[in-house]
Amino acid sequence: MTAATTGRDETLTWKLGGRSPDEIAINTTVDQRITRDWAWAGATGESVRVCVVDSGVQGDNPLVGPIQGSYALAGEDPGSEPTVVETEAEDAYGHGTACASIIRRIAPQCKLYSMRVLGKVGGGTGAALLAGLRWAVEQRFDVINLSLSTTRPQFDRELRALADQAYFQNTIMVASAHNTPVESFPWRYSSVISVGSHSQNDSDFVLANTRPPVEFFARGSAVPVAGLDGKPTRNTGNSFATPHITGRCALILGKHPGLTPFQLKTILYLTSDNVRGGA
Amino acid sequence: MTRDDSTALMAAAVAAALAGPGPELSAARRELLVSIVSVARAVFGAAAGSILLIDERTGELVFEATAGEGEEHLVGNRFPSDQGIAGWVAATGEAMIVDDLAASAVFARDVAERTRYVPDSIMAAPVTCAGVVLGVLEVLDPAPQSRSSLGDLDLLTLLAGQAGIALRGVARDAVVRPDPGGPEPDYERLVDLIRLYLGWDRPRQAAGFRLLETLGSVLSAAGQ
């Protein structure tokens, strides 16, 4: 396919694809005091509030551990905004539970919350995503994991404003790039941290992308995750790369509370495995 | 769902209903879907493959084309679209692979009841047309090298895109997919009224429209 046939800029990259990490090596002269040891060594994500906006998170799953709060959308009128209610810690799809288990593995002592925007009630639309995300931003969580996006342009403006609101209140929004090179939101905004996949069999391996729109690549292939019966499965897709970055953000914020999204993104960049000379 | 979005969906639903029954899946189109499933099954060395389409009226996924294990009895089978891997893909339009399912007693029982086949691995990609998710292309138990391959997931997504093209103009219900959280709109009664209106002459239509506008104002005021 050419740019003419796809209608998009072919120089933009969504995922690492067949390239090796060495092909996107970045040499930097930035201060080398920002190291992985400085950034998160010894950290557990303790006291960092992380919200998984997804299909819900199963509450009694041993690979996820305790959930501090579970919320969902409710509302019968399709013409009005859904409301948010506290709900049972359930997940009919298993997707949110899988994402939560990755975050828990990386930041074992973070405080996990669930906002269900897909599933039983009021889910599956850009409006549900917007409503759930708005609630999460209003709750001022430290980190929001969003392994979802909407392709519907009518939500672009409101989602962008919401992402900006999160950015300026120091809520870190970590968002999955779409698996295929289509335009979707909100991962496309510079105010969020966007994540695509690499195929390395290493959950600690993170790459900074030299070509936008995706900013970071994390493990998205054969990722060990929690199944709905509490036993591990292995999942593949950008959805599962994103919680790796969410977990890392929780570690860094646990050790260095109060960082702004700008500062945190810089630390993620300088500690990426393909950035040489920084960390 | 925003008011504009909701209005657009209702308008599309009414337009579709007025147009009468949509074209059925023709034998040729169904043959093409089966061919795509068969190609997917062969490319990934899979035990089985299926295309499931969303039935908007019931909120279910329906097996429309299958190849391999279970192909004799699966077509026409239905299951809820608000659960499981295929449900996730249909709801989000995102492809994914789940492997090592054999250890999952919950999943195995659920799938076995539906398909009489218990896979260890599932690859699933959205079948889309003009940006609308119409269903899911699913491959069960692909060869080991495909079970964690992002490249193979891309390939499956391309094949699912072909299925979407094959369905162009067919699955119009997907365009008017209602909000699962909302009440079932009573489009049929609404359409009956519009048909009645269209059968009138121009003066009577104008008078009828004024009446409806007045009624709308009264109801709107009563709701505030």
Side-chain angles (χ1 to χ4, degrees):
Chain A
M1 278 188 288
T2 66
T5 58
T6 60
R8 58 184 160 79
D9 183 348
E10 295 290 335
T11 64
L12 303 178
T13 56
W14 260 245
K15 58 183 70 173
L16 185 62
R19 292 175 294 164
S20 75
D22 286 339
E23 289 178 71
I24 59 166
I26 301 168
N27 293 309
T28 177
T29 56
V30 176
D31 194 330
Q32 295 188 16
R33 282 177 296 179
I34 304 296
T35 65
R36 289 184 165 214
D37 274 355
W38 174 86
W40 67 78
T44 60
E46 187 173 8
S47 79
V48 178
R49 297 165 70 239
V50 179
C51 184
V52 177
V53 177
D54 209 290
S55 58
V57 178
Q58 194 177 44
D60 55 357
N61 195 300
L63 297 178
V64 176
I67 303 299
Q68 303 294 322
S70 294
Y71 301 86
L73 299 176
E76 295 298 315
D77 182 1
S80 64
E81 276 283 309
T83 55
V84 174
V85 296
E86 194 156 9
T87 184
E88 295 293 316
E90 295 175 334
D91 178 8
Y93 292 112
H95 191 273
T97 302
C99 291
S101 69
I102 298 168
I103 299 168
R104 177 65 78 203
R105 192 170 64 242
I106 294 170
Q109 291 191 289
C110 72
K111 294 182 175 177
L112 274 175
Y113 294 78
S114 167
M115 173 69 231
R116 190 174 74 209
V117 296
L118 287 165
K120 289 183 177 175
V121 178
T125 67
L129 174 63
L130 180 63
L133 201 54
R134 178 177 292 124
W135 176 86
V137 171
E138 288 169 351
Q139 304 310 304
R140 292 181 170 269
F141 287 108
D142 297 308
V143 190
I144 296 172
N145 186 90
L146 189 66
S147 290
L148 295 168
S149 64
T150 178
T151 57
R152 304 173 82 171
Q154 62 264 44
F155 298 106
D156 180 11
R157 190 170 171 181
E158 282 185 89
L159 281 171
R160 188 185 299 271
L162 199 55
D164 281 346
Q165 182 184 338
Y167 182 91
F168 289 117
Q169 72 178 32
N170 284 0
T171 292
I172 310 295
M173 196 182 293
V174 188
S176 283
H178 203 278
N179 277 301
T180 49
V182 300
E183 295 290 352
S184 64
F185 316 98
W187 67 272
R188 271 296 236 145
Y189 311 144
S190 56
S191 51
V192 311
I193 296 172
S194 57
V195 187
S197 298
H198 65 60
S199 296
Q200 305 289 316
N201 187 24
D202 183 352
S203 288
D204 198 36
F205 192 75
V206 170
L207 299 169
N209 189 12
T210 53
R211 293 152 67 188
V214 174
E215 293 176 295
F216 296 98
F217 297 126
R219 182 180 184 181
S221 174
V223 181
V225 301
L228 284 180
D229 58 356
K231 294 178 179 170
T233 64
R234 292 187 303 156
N235 291 12
T236 296
N238 280 352
S239 290
F240 312 106
T242 304
H244 287 90
I245 299 295
T246 297
R248 180 165 292 186
C249 288
L251 290 181
I252 296 171
L253 286 174
K255 193 170 179 180
H256 306 282
L259 290 174
T260 67
F262 171 78
Q263 292 167 325
L264 187 59
K265 196 180 284 193
T266 303
I267 293 170
L268 288 174
Y269 170 80
L270 290 173
T271 55
S272 292
D273 288 88
N274 59 327
V275 177
R276 315 279 163 77
Chain B
M1 185 177 293
T2 64
R3 188 169 184 81
D4 283 350
D5 194 27
S6 174
T7 303
L9 285 177
M10 282 192 283
V14 171
L18 282 168
E24 298 292 326
L25 271 183
S26 67
R29 278 175 158 150
R30 192 177 296 280
E31 196 175 338
L32 182 52
L33 293 186
V34 172
S35 168
I36 291 168
V37 171
S38 300
V39 168
R41 184 187 171 216
V43 165
F44 300 113
S50 308
I51 287 177
L52 305 98
L53 297 183
I54 301 165
D55 183 336
E56 296 302 326
R57 298 176 199 285
T58 63
E60 294 171 309
L61 282 164
V62 186
F63 284 91
E64 290 290 351
T66 61
E69 291 282 350
E71 65 182 308
E72 312 81 23
H73 63 269
L74 272 181
V75 171
N77 274 14
R78 295 167 168 265
F79 63 94
S81 65
D82 63 352
Q83 58 184 252
I85 296 160
W88 163 262
V89 173
T92 64
E94 294 275 15
M96 70 182 288
I97 306 172
V98 181
D99 195 14
D100 284 352
L101 287 164
S104 170
V106 173
F107 182 83
R109 186 170 62 246
D110 179 38
V111 171
E113 284 172 0
R114 293 197 317 253
T115 65
R116 301 180 206 171
Y117 177 73
V118 182
D120 186 43
S121 179
I122 292 180
M123 298 173 71
V127 173
T128 62
C129 184
V132 175
V133 180
L134 304 177
V136 178
L137 171 58
E138 201 174 66
V139 169
L140 307 185
D141 283 341
Q145 64 269 23
S146 293
R147 294 185 178 193
S148 59
S149 168
L150 290 161
D152 283 352
L153 197 57
D154 286 347
L155 182 54
L156 185 71
T157 303
L158 289 174
L159 288 168
Q162 287 194 322
I165 293 169
L167 290 166
R168 183 171 289 165
V170 173
R172 64 185 171 81
D173 283 349
V175 181
V176 294
R177 184 176 182 173
D179 183 345
E184 192 66 33
D186 201 351
Y187 292 131
E188 290 180 9
R189 290 172 65 189
L190 184 61
V191 167
D192 284 344
L193 289 173
I194 294 173
R195 283 212 176 93
L196 184 66
Y197 170 84
L198 292 174
W200 292 341
D201 58 28
R202 297 293 288 254
R204 197 170 184 190
Q205 279 186 352
F209 203 82
R210 281 197 299 276
L211 180 63
L212 281 174
E213 282 185 323
T214 305
L215 185 59
S217 299
V218 170
L219 290 174
S220 178
Q224 289 173 355

